[in-house]
PDB file of all heavy atoms in Angstrom:
ATOM      1  N   GLN A  26      11.690  11.977 -20.748  1.00  0.00           N
ATOM      2  CA  GLN A  26      12.172  12.838 -19.669  1.00  0.00           C
ATOM      3  C   GLN A  26      12.426  12.019 -18.419  1.00  0.00           C
ATOM      4  O   GLN A  26      12.130  10.815 -18.359  1.00  0.00           O
ATOM      5  CB  GLN A  26      11.142  13.940 -19.365  1.00  0.00           C
ATOM      6  CG  GLN A  26      11.053  15.015 -20.416  1.00  0.00           C
ATOM      7  CD  GLN A  26      10.122  16.134 -19.988  1.00  0.00           C
ATOM      8  OE1 GLN A  26       9.015  15.910 -19.491  1.00  0.00           O
ATOM      9  NE2 GLN A  26      10.560  17.373 -20.173  1.00  0.00           N
ATOM     10  N   GLN A  27      12.970  12.676 -17.408  1.00  0.00           N
ATOM     11  CA  GLN A  27      13.126  12.018 -16.128  1.00  0.00           C
ATOM     12  C   GLN A  27      12.364  12.820 -15.074  1.00  0.00           C
ATOM     13  O   GLN A  27      12.007  13.984 -15.283  1.00  0.00           O
ATOM     14  CB  GLN A  27      14.590  11.878 -15.728  1.00  0.00           C
ATOM     15  CG  GLN A  27      15.249  13.140 -15.237  1.00  0.00           C
ATOM     16  CD  GLN A  27      16.547  12.831 -14.475  1.00  0.00           C
ATOM     17  OE1 GLN A  27      17.186  11.802 -14.668  1.00  0.00           O
ATOM     18  NE2 GLN A  27      16.936  13.740 -13.627  1.00  0.00           N
ATOM     19  N   VAL A  28      12.083  12.162 -13.960  1.00  0.00           N
ATOM     20  CA  VAL A  28      11.288  12.798 -12.913  1.00  0.00           C
ATOM     21  C   VAL A  28      11.819  12.384 -11.542  1.00  0.00           C
ATOM     22  O   VAL A  28      12.336  11.272 -11.372  1.00  0.00           O
ATOM     23  CB  VAL A  28       9.803  12.416 -13.060  1.00  0.00           C
ATOM     24  CG1 VAL A  28       9.579  10.925 -12.777  1.00  0.00           C
ATOM     25  CG2 VAL A  28       8.917  13.257 -12.162  1.00  0.00           C
ATOM     26  N   THR A  29      11.728  13.296 -10.591  1.00  0.00           N
ATOM     27  CA  THR A  29      12.102  13.013  -9.210  1.00  0.00           C
ATOM     28  C   THR A  29      10.926  13.333  -8.305  1.00  0.00           C
ATOM     29  O   THR A  29      10.361  14.426  -8.368  1.00  0.00           O
ATOM     30  CB  THR A  29      13.323  13.845  -8.779  1.00  0.00           C
ATOM     31  OG1 THR A  29      14.432  13.506  -9.616  1.00  0.00           O
ATOM     32  CG2 THR A  29      13.677  13.551  -7.327  1.00  0.00           C
ATOM     33  N   LEU A  30      10.550  12.354  -7.498  1.00  0.00           N
ATOM     34  CA  LEU A  30       9.461  12.518  -6.542  1.00  0.00           C
ATOM     35  C   LEU A  30      10.039  12.507  -5.130  1.00  0.00           C
ATOM     36  O   LEU A  30      11.020  11.803  -4.868  1.00  0.00           O
ATOM     37  CB  LEU A  30       8.441  11.381  -6.685  1.00  0.00           C
ATOM     38  CG  LEU A  30       7.976  11.048  -8.100  1.00  0.00           C
ATOM     39  CD1 LEU A  30       6.951   9.914  -8.058  1.00  0.00           C
ATOM     40  CD2 LEU A  30       7.411  12.256  -8.805  1.00  0.00           C
ATOM     41  N   SER A  31       9.393  13.239  -4.244  1.00  0.00           N
ATOM     42  CA  SER A  31       9.916  13.364  -2.894  1.00  0.00           C
ATOM     43  C   SER A  31       8.915  12.871  -1.858  1.00  0.00           C
ATOM     44  O   SER A  31       7.699  13.017  -2.028  1.00  0.00           O
ATOM     45  CB  SER A  31      10.269  14.823  -2.618  1.00  0.00           C
ATOM     46  OG  SER A  31      10.791  14.982  -1.320  1.00  0.00           O
ATOM     47  N   CYS A  32       9.455  12.308  -0.785  1.00  0.00           N
ATOM     48  CA  CYS A  32       8.620  11.780   0.297  1.00  0.00           C
ATOM     49  C   CYS A  32       9.247  12.163   1.628  1.00  0.00           C
ATOM     50  O   CYS A  32      10.417  11.847   1.878  1.00  0.00           O
ATOM     51  CB  CYS A  32       8.512  10.267   0.168  1.00  0.00           C
ATOM     52  SG  CYS A  32       7.650   9.451   1.538  1.00  0.00           S
ATOM     53  N   SER A  33       8.471  12.807   2.485  1.00  0.00           N
ATOM     54  CA  SER A  33       8.933  13.120   3.830  1.00  0.00           C
ATOM     55  C   SER A  33       8.168  12.249   4.822  1.00  0.00           C
ATOM     56  O   SER A  33       6.940  12.352   4.910  1.00  0.00           O
ATOM     57  CB  SER A  33       8.711  14.604   4.146  1.00  0.00           C
ATOM     58  OG  SER A  33       9.548  15.400   3.368  1.00  0.00           O
ATOM     59  N   PRO A  34       8.871  11.387   5.547  1.00  0.00           N
ATOM     60  CA  PRO A  34       8.178  10.454   6.443  1.00  0.00           C
ATOM     61  C   PRO A  34       7.724  11.134   7.725  1.00  0.00           C
ATOM     62  O   PRO A  34       8.091  12.279   7.996  1.00  0.00           O
ATOM     63  CB  PRO A  34       9.262   9.415   6.738  1.00  0.00           C
ATOM     64  CG  PRO A  34      10.540  10.186   6.644  1.00  0.00           C
ATOM     65  CD  PRO A  34      10.315  11.198   5.564  1.00  0.00           C
ATOM     66  N   ILE A  35       6.971  10.400   8.496  1.00  0.00           N
ATOM     67  CA  ILE A  35       6.591  10.858   9.824  1.00  0.00           C
ATOM     68  C   ILE A  35       7.851  10.971  10.675  1.00  0.00           C
ATOM     69  O   ILE A  35       8.756  10.117  10.569  1.00  0.00           O
ATOM     70  CB  ILE A  35       5.589   9.878  10.456  1.00  0.00           C
ATOM     71  CG1 ILE A  35       4.242   9.972   9.724  1.00  0.00           C
ATOM     72  CG2 ILE A  35       5.399  10.131  11.943  1.00  0.00           C
ATOM     73  CD1 ILE A  35       3.246   8.907  10.117  1.00  0.00           C
ATOM     74  N   SER A  36       7.927  11.998  11.477  1.00  0.00           N
ATOM     75  CA  SER A  36       9.093  12.214  12.317  1.00  0.00           C
ATOM     76  C   SER A  36       9.390  10.969  13.167  1.00  0.00           C
ATOM     77  O   SER A  36       8.495  10.419  13.819  1.00  0.00           O
ATOM     78  CB  SER A  36       8.842  13.412  13.235  1.00  0.00           C
ATOM     79  OG  SER A  36       9.928  13.617  14.096  1.00  0.00           O
ATOM     80  N   GLY A  37      10.640  10.524  13.115  1.00  0.00           N
ATOM     81  CA  GLY A  37      11.032   9.348  13.894  1.00  0.00           C
ATOM     82  C   GLY A  37      10.989   8.053  13.101  1.00  0.00           C
ATOM     83  O   GLY A  37      11.546   7.035  13.533  1.00  0.00           O
ATOM     84  N   HIS A  38      10.312   8.067  11.974  1.00  0.00           N
ATOM     85  CA  HIS A  38      10.265   6.873  11.129  1.00  0.00           C
ATOM     86  C   HIS A  38      11.532   6.788  10.292  1.00  0.00           C
ATOM     87  O   HIS A  38      11.941   7.764   9.673  1.00  0.00           O
ATOM     88  CB  HIS A  38       9.043   6.910  10.217  1.00  0.00           C
ATOM     89  CG  HIS A  38       7.764   6.616  10.924  1.00  0.00           C
ATOM     90  ND1 HIS A  38       6.590   6.319  10.255  1.00  0.00           N
ATOM     91  CD2 HIS A  38       7.462   6.547  12.240  1.00  0.00           C
ATOM     92  CE1 HIS A  38       5.636   6.092  11.117  1.00  0.00           C
ATOM     93  NE2 HIS A  38       6.129   6.231  12.339  1.00  0.00           N
ATOM     94  N   ARG A  39      12.114   5.582  10.242  1.00  0.00           N
ATOM     95  CA  ARG A  39      13.372   5.413   9.540  1.00  0.00           C
ATOM     96  C   ARG A  39      13.236   4.631   8.234  1.00  0.00           C
ATOM     97  O   ARG A  39      14.169   4.557   7.454  1.00  0.00           O
ATOM     98  CB  ARG A  39      14.382   4.710  10.458  1.00  0.00           C
ATOM     99  CG  ARG A  39      14.758   5.567  11.673  1.00  0.00           C
ATOM    100  CD  ARG A  39      15.497   4.753  12.719  1.00  0.00           C
ATOM    101  NE  ARG A  39      16.760   4.239  12.199  1.00  0.00           N
ATOM    102  CZ  ARG A  39      17.444   3.267  12.782  1.00  0.00           C
ATOM    103  NH1 ARG A  39      16.984   2.688  13.875  1.00  0.00           N
ATOM    104  NH2 ARG A  39      18.598   2.858  12.284  1.00  0.00           N
ATOM    105  N   SER A  40      12.066   4.022   8.040  1.00  0.00           N
ATOM    106  CA  SER A  40      11.851   3.244   6.815  1.00  0.00           C
ATOM    107  C   SER A  40      10.917   3.999   5.887  1.00  0.00           C
ATOM    108  O   SER A  40       9.872   4.510   6.312  1.00  0.00           O
ATOM    109  CB  SER A  40      11.253   1.880   7.163  1.00  0.00           C
ATOM    110  OG  SER A  40      10.783   1.226   5.988  1.00  0.00           O
ATOM    111  N   VAL A  41      11.293   4.059   4.627  1.00  0.00           N
ATOM    112  CA  VAL A  41      10.420   4.629   3.593  1.00  0.00           C
ATOM    113  C   VAL A  41      10.327   3.622   2.454  1.00  0.00           C
ATOM    114  O   VAL A  41      11.352   3.158   1.943  1.00  0.00           O
ATOM    115  CB  VAL A  41      10.953   5.975   3.058  1.00  0.00           C
ATOM    116  CG1 VAL A  41      10.093   6.442   1.883  1.00  0.00           C
ATOM    117  CG2 VAL A  41      10.942   7.031   4.160  1.00  0.00           C
ATOM    118  N   SER A  42       9.104   3.281   2.090  1.00  0.00           N
ATOM    119  CA  SER A  42       8.876   2.369   0.971  1.00  0.00           C
ATOM    120  C   SER A  42       8.133   3.105  -0.120  1.00  0.00           C
ATOM    121  O   SER A  42       7.340   4.005   0.160  1.00  0.00           O
ATOM    122  CB  SER A  42       8.043   1.164   1.417  1.00  0.00           C
ATOM    123  OG  SER A  42       8.710   0.447   2.424  1.00  0.00           O
ATOM    124  N   TRP A  43       8.370   2.689  -1.338  1.00  0.00           N
ATOM    125  CA  TRP A  43       7.725   3.299  -2.504  1.00  0.00           C
ATOM    126  C   TRP A  43       6.899   2.253  -3.239  1.00  0.00           C
ATOM    127  O   TRP A  43       7.310   1.090  -3.364  1.00  0.00           O
ATOM    128  CB  TRP A  43       8.772   3.878  -3.451  1.00  0.00           C
ATOM    129  CG  TRP A  43       9.433   5.122  -2.952  1.00  0.00           C
ATOM    130  CD1 TRP A  43      10.571   5.197  -2.202  1.00  0.00           C
ATOM    131  CD2 TRP A  43       9.012   6.467  -3.179  1.00  0.00           C
ATOM    132  NE1 TRP A  43      10.874   6.515  -1.938  1.00  0.00           N
ATOM    133  CE2 TRP A  43       9.935   7.306  -2.535  1.00  0.00           C
ATOM    134  CE3 TRP A  43       7.944   7.046  -3.867  1.00  0.00           C
ATOM    135  CZ2 TRP A  43       9.830   8.706  -2.559  1.00  0.00           C
ATOM    136  CZ3 TRP A  43       7.833   8.427  -3.896  1.00  0.00           C
ATOM    137  CH2 TRP A  43       8.773   9.247  -3.245  1.00  0.00           C
ATOM    138  N   TYR A  44       5.752   2.691  -3.751  1.00  0.00           N
ATOM    139  CA  TYR A  44       4.829   1.805  -4.450  1.00  0.00           C
ATOM    140  C   TYR A  44       4.286   2.501  -5.684  1.00  0.00           C
ATOM    141  O   TYR A  44       4.114   3.717  -5.704  1.00  0.00           O
ATOM    142  CB  TYR A  44       3.649   1.435  -3.535  1.00  0.00           C
ATOM    143  CG  TYR A  44       4.074   0.832  -2.219  1.00  0.00           C
ATOM    144  CD1 TYR A  44       4.275   1.639  -1.105  1.00  0.00           C
ATOM    145  CD2 TYR A  44       4.300  -0.536  -2.102  1.00  0.00           C
ATOM    146  CE1 TYR A  44       4.685   1.094   0.102  1.00  0.00           C
ATOM    147  CE2 TYR A  44       4.713  -1.087  -0.895  1.00  0.00           C
ATOM    148  CZ  TYR A  44       4.904  -0.252   0.197  1.00  0.00           C
ATOM    149  OH  TYR A  44       5.318  -0.802   1.384  1.00  0.00           O
ATOM    150  N   GLN A  45       3.994   1.678  -6.691  1.00  0.00           N
ATOM    151  CA  GLN A  45       3.345   2.174  -7.903  1.00  0.00           C
ATOM    152  C   GLN A  45       1.947   1.587  -7.971  1.00  0.00           C
ATOM    153  O   GLN A  45       1.758   0.390  -7.728  1.00  0.00           O
ATOM    154  CB  GLN A  45       4.140   1.739  -9.139  1.00  0.00           C
ATOM    155  CG  GLN A  45       3.565   2.257 -10.448  1.00  0.00           C
ATOM    156  CD  GLN A  45       4.112   1.513 -11.659  1.00  0.00           C
ATOM    157  OE1 GLN A  45       3.882   0.314 -11.812  1.00  0.00           O
ATOM    158  NE2 GLN A  45       4.828   2.226 -12.520  1.00  0.00           N
ATOM    159  N   GLN A  46       0.961   2.403  -8.272  1.00  0.00           N
ATOM    160  CA  GLN A  46      -0.402   1.908  -8.425  1.00  0.00           C
ATOM    161  C   GLN A  46      -0.939   2.295  -9.788  1.00  0.00           C
ATOM    162  O   GLN A  46      -0.991   3.478 -10.145  1.00  0.00           O
ATOM    163  CB  GLN A  46      -1.323   2.460  -7.334  1.00  0.00           C
ATOM    164  CG  GLN A  46      -2.726   1.841  -7.370  1.00  0.00           C
ATOM    165  CD  GLN A  46      -3.607   2.318  -6.238  1.00  0.00           C
ATOM    166  OE1 GLN A  46      -3.538   3.468  -5.826  1.00  0.00           O
ATOM    167  NE2 GLN A  46      -4.429   1.422  -5.718  1.00  0.00           N
ATOM    168  N   THR A  47      -1.334   1.285 -10.553  1.00  0.00           N
ATOM    169  CA  THR A  47      -1.959   1.498 -11.858  1.00  0.00           C
ATOM    170  C   THR A  47      -3.255   0.717 -11.914  1.00  0.00           C
ATOM    171  O   THR A  47      -3.416  -0.279 -11.196  1.00  0.00           O
ATOM    172  CB  THR A  47      -1.049   1.025 -13.005  1.00  0.00           C
ATOM    173  OG1 THR A  47      -0.785  -0.382 -12.823  1.00  0.00           O
ATOM    174  CG2 THR A  47       0.262   1.790 -13.035  1.00  0.00           C
ATOM    175  N   PRO A  48      -4.190   1.136 -12.773  1.00  0.00           N
ATOM    176  CA  PRO A  48      -5.454   0.387 -12.884  1.00  0.00           C
ATOM    177  C   PRO A  48      -5.234  -1.063 -13.305  1.00  0.00           C
ATOM    178  O   PRO A  48      -5.942  -1.947 -12.860  1.00  0.00           O
ATOM    179  CB  PRO A  48      -6.228   1.167 -13.953  1.00  0.00           C
ATOM    180  CG  PRO A  48      -5.665   2.540 -13.907  1.00  0.00           C
ATOM    181  CD  PRO A  48      -4.208   2.361 -13.574  1.00  0.00           C
ATOM    182  N   GLY A  49      -4.237  -1.310 -14.131  1.00  0.00           N
ATOM    183  CA  GLY A  49      -4.029  -2.660 -14.641  1.00  0.00           C
ATOM    184  C   GLY A  49      -3.293  -3.575 -13.684  1.00  0.00           C
ATOM    185  O   GLY A  49      -3.629  -4.753 -13.550  1.00  0.00           O
ATOM    186  N   GLN A  50      -2.299  -3.059 -13.010  1.00  0.00           N
ATOM    187  CA  GLN A  50      -1.437  -3.887 -12.154  1.00  0.00           C
ATOM    188  C   GLN A  50      -1.719  -3.730 -10.668  1.00  0.00           C
ATOM    189  O   GLN A  50      -1.180  -4.482  -9.855  1.00  0.00           O
ATOM    190  CB  GLN A  50       0.037  -3.556 -12.407  1.00  0.00           C
ATOM    191  CG  GLN A  50       0.503  -3.811 -13.829  1.00  0.00           C
ATOM    192  CD  GLN A  50       0.483  -5.281 -14.158  1.00  0.00           C
ATOM    193  OE1 GLN A  50       0.842  -6.122 -13.340  1.00  0.00           O
ATOM    194  NE2 GLN A  50       0.027  -5.618 -15.357  1.00  0.00           N
ATOM    195  N   GLY A  51      -2.529  -2.752 -10.321  1.00  0.00           N
ATOM    196  CA  GLY A  51      -2.792  -2.532  -8.900  1.00  0.00           C
ATOM    197  C   GLY A  51      -1.573  -1.946  -8.209  1.00  0.00           C
ATOM    198  O   GLY A  51      -0.746  -1.267  -8.825  1.00  0.00           O
ATOM    199  N   LEU A  52      -1.449  -2.242  -6.931  1.00  0.00           N
ATOM    200  CA  LEU A  52      -0.330  -1.747  -6.137  1.00  0.00           C
ATOM    201  C   LEU A  52       0.856  -2.687  -6.255  1.00  0.00           C
ATOM    202  O   LEU A  52       0.718  -3.898  -6.096  1.00  0.00           O
ATOM    203  CB  LEU A  52      -0.721  -1.644  -4.663  1.00  0.00           C
ATOM    204  CG  LEU A  52      -1.333  -0.338  -4.204  1.00  0.00           C
ATOM    205  CD1 LEU A  52      -2.038  -0.521  -2.873  1.00  0.00           C
ATOM    206  CD2 LEU A  52      -0.258   0.736  -4.084  1.00  0.00           C
ATOM    207  N   GLN A  53       2.027  -2.111  -6.536  1.00  0.00           N
ATOM    208  CA  GLN A  53       3.239  -2.924  -6.634  1.00  0.00           C
ATOM    209  C   GLN A  53       4.362  -2.246  -5.854  1.00  0.00           C
ATOM    210  O   GLN A  53       4.499  -1.026  -5.891  1.00  0.00           O
ATOM    211  CB  GLN A  53       3.662  -3.082  -8.092  1.00  0.00           C
ATOM    212  CG  GLN A  53       2.694  -3.904  -8.924  1.00  0.00           C
ATOM    213  CD  GLN A  53       3.189  -4.060 -10.345  1.00  0.00           C
ATOM    214  OE1 GLN A  53       3.030  -3.175 -11.174  1.00  0.00           O
ATOM    215  NE2 GLN A  53       3.820  -5.190 -10.621  1.00  0.00           N
ATOM    216  N   PHE A  54       5.145  -3.065  -5.193  1.00  0.00           N
ATOM    217  CA  PHE A  54       6.255  -2.591  -4.385  1.00  0.00           C
ATOM    218  C   PHE A  54       7.432  -2.223  -5.288  1.00  0.00           C
ATOM    219  O   PHE A  54       7.839  -2.999  -6.151  1.00  0.00           O
ATOM    220  CB  PHE A  54       6.661  -3.710  -3.417  1.00  0.00           C
ATOM    221  CG  PHE A  54       7.908  -3.467  -2.648  1.00  0.00           C
ATOM    222  CD1 PHE A  54       7.912  -2.649  -1.526  1.00  0.00           C
ATOM    223  CD2 PHE A  54       9.097  -4.073  -3.023  1.00  0.00           C
ATOM    224  CE1 PHE A  54       9.070  -2.449  -0.797  1.00  0.00           C
ATOM    225  CE2 PHE A  54      10.253  -3.883  -2.297  1.00  0.00           C
ATOM    226  CZ  PHE A  54      10.245  -3.061  -1.185  1.00  0.00           C
ATOM    227  N   LEU A  55       7.965  -1.033  -5.067  1.00  0.00           N
ATOM    228  CA  LEU A  55       9.128  -0.589  -5.832  1.00  0.00           C
ATOM    229  C   LEU A  55      10.410  -0.877  -5.058  1.00  0.00           C
ATOM    230  O   LEU A  55      11.276  -1.602  -5.518  1.00  0.00           O
ATOM    231  CB  LEU A  55       9.024   0.907  -6.141  1.00  0.00           C
ATOM    232  CG  LEU A  55       8.145   1.278  -7.325  1.00  0.00           C
ATOM    233  CD1 LEU A  55       7.653   2.709  -7.208  1.00  0.00           C
ATOM    234  CD2 LEU A  55       8.909   1.091  -8.619  1.00  0.00           C
ATOM    235  N   PHE A  56      10.574  -0.235  -3.935  1.00  0.00           N
ATOM    236  CA  PHE A  56      11.737  -0.472  -3.071  1.00  0.00           C
ATOM    237  C   PHE A  56      11.508   0.130  -1.692  1.00  0.00           C
ATOM    238  O   PHE A  56      10.584   0.910  -1.482  1.00  0.00           O
ATOM    239  CB  PHE A  56      13.040   0.083  -3.667  1.00  0.00           C
ATOM    240  CG  PHE A  56      12.906   1.303  -4.528  1.00  0.00           C
ATOM    241  CD1 PHE A  56      12.469   2.506  -3.998  1.00  0.00           C
ATOM    242  CD2 PHE A  56      13.209   1.246  -5.876  1.00  0.00           C
ATOM    243  CE1 PHE A  56      12.348   3.630  -4.787  1.00  0.00           C
ATOM    244  CE2 PHE A  56      13.098   2.366  -6.684  1.00  0.00           C
ATOM    245  CZ  PHE A  56      12.663   3.551  -6.146  1.00  0.00           C
ATOM    246  N   GLU A  57      12.400  -0.277  -0.788  1.00  0.00           N
ATOM    247  CA  GLU A  57      12.360   0.225   0.575  1.00  0.00           C
ATOM    248  C   GLU A  57      13.732   0.751   0.958  1.00  0.00           C
ATOM    249  O   GLU A  57      14.755   0.135   0.628  1.00  0.00           O
ATOM    250  CB  GLU A  57      11.975  -0.877   1.562  1.00  0.00           C
ATOM    251  CG  GLU A  57      11.909  -0.378   3.008  1.00  0.00           C
ATOM    252  CD  GLU A  57      12.156  -1.457   4.040  1.00  0.00           C
ATOM    253  OE1 GLU A  57      12.499  -2.601   3.691  1.00  0.00           O
ATOM    254  OE2 GLU A  57      11.981  -1.149   5.237  1.00  0.00           O
ATOM    255  N   TYR A  58      13.740   1.860   1.648  1.00  0.00           N
ATOM    256  CA  TYR A  58      14.970   2.409   2.209  1.00  0.00           C
ATOM    257  C   TYR A  58      14.864   2.451   3.722  1.00  0.00           C
ATOM    258  O   TYR A  58      13.821   2.822   4.280  1.00  0.00           O
ATOM    259  CB  TYR A  58      15.243   3.806   1.658  1.00  0.00           C
ATOM    260  CG  TYR A  58      15.770   3.759   0.247  1.00  0.00           C
ATOM    261  CD1 TYR A  58      14.902   3.712  -0.828  1.00  0.00           C
ATOM    262  CD2 TYR A  58      17.137   3.696   0.000  1.00  0.00           C
ATOM    263  CE1 TYR A  58      15.367   3.622  -2.125  1.00  0.00           C
ATOM    264  CE2 TYR A  58      17.623   3.612  -1.288  1.00  0.00           C
ATOM    265  CZ  TYR A  58      16.739   3.571  -2.347  1.00  0.00           C
ATOM    266  OH  TYR A  58      17.208   3.475  -3.623  1.00  0.00           O
ATOM    267  N   PHE A  59      15.934   2.057   4.353  1.00  0.00           N
ATOM    268  CA  PHE A  59      16.001   2.089   5.812  1.00  0.00           C
ATOM    269  C   PHE A  59      17.398   2.538   6.192  1.00  0.00           C
ATOM    270  O   PHE A  59      18.387   1.960   5.730  1.00  0.00           O
ATOM    271  CB  PHE A  59      15.700   0.708   6.392  1.00  0.00           C
ATOM    272  CG  PHE A  59      15.735   0.648   7.894  1.00  0.00           C
ATOM    273  CD1 PHE A  59      14.659   1.089   8.640  1.00  0.00           C
ATOM    274  CD2 PHE A  59      16.836   0.145   8.551  1.00  0.00           C
ATOM    275  CE1 PHE A  59      14.675   1.035  10.025  1.00  0.00           C
ATOM    276  CE2 PHE A  59      16.870   0.080   9.939  1.00  0.00           C
ATOM    277  CZ  PHE A  59      15.786   0.531  10.671  1.00  0.00           C
ATOM    278  N   SER A  60      17.475   3.566   7.014  1.00  0.00           N
ATOM    279  CA  SER A  60      18.783   4.109   7.415  1.00  0.00           C
ATOM    280  C   SER A  60      19.680   4.361   6.209  1.00  0.00           C
ATOM    281  O   SER A  60      20.848   3.941   6.189  1.00  0.00           O
ATOM    282  CB  SER A  60      19.469   3.161   8.413  1.00  0.00           C
ATOM    283  OG  SER A  60      18.744   3.096   9.598  1.00  0.00           O
ATOM    284  N   GLU A  61      19.117   5.001   5.214  1.00  0.00           N
ATOM    285  CA  GLU A  61      19.835   5.473   4.021  1.00  0.00           C
ATOM    286  C   GLU A  61      20.304   4.362   3.086  1.00  0.00           C
ATOM    287  O   GLU A  61      21.038   4.620   2.129  1.00  0.00           O
ATOM    288  CB  GLU A  61      21.038   6.342   4.423  1.00  0.00           C
ATOM    289  CG  GLU A  61      20.651   7.555   5.241  1.00  0.00           C
ATOM    290  CD  GLU A  61      21.865   8.382   5.659  1.00  0.00           C
ATOM    291  OE1 GLU A  61      22.562   8.896   4.765  1.00  0.00           O
ATOM    292  OE2 GLU A  61      22.110   8.492   6.876  1.00  0.00           O
TER     293      GLU A  61
END
Side-chain angles (χ1 to χ4, degrees):
Chain A
Q26 288 186 314
Q27 76 163 24
V28 67
T29 299
L30 312 181
S31 180
C32 174
S33 292
I35 290 171
S36 178
H38 285 194
R39 295 167 62 196
S40 168
V41 174
S42 299
W43 288 90
Y44 305 92
Q45 182 196 64
Q46 186 176 36
T47 60
Q50 299 294 320
L52 271 163
Q53 293 182 279
F54 172 79
L55 279 157
F56 31 65
E57 181 206 6
Y58 284 86
F59 180 80
S60 295
E61 301 178 62

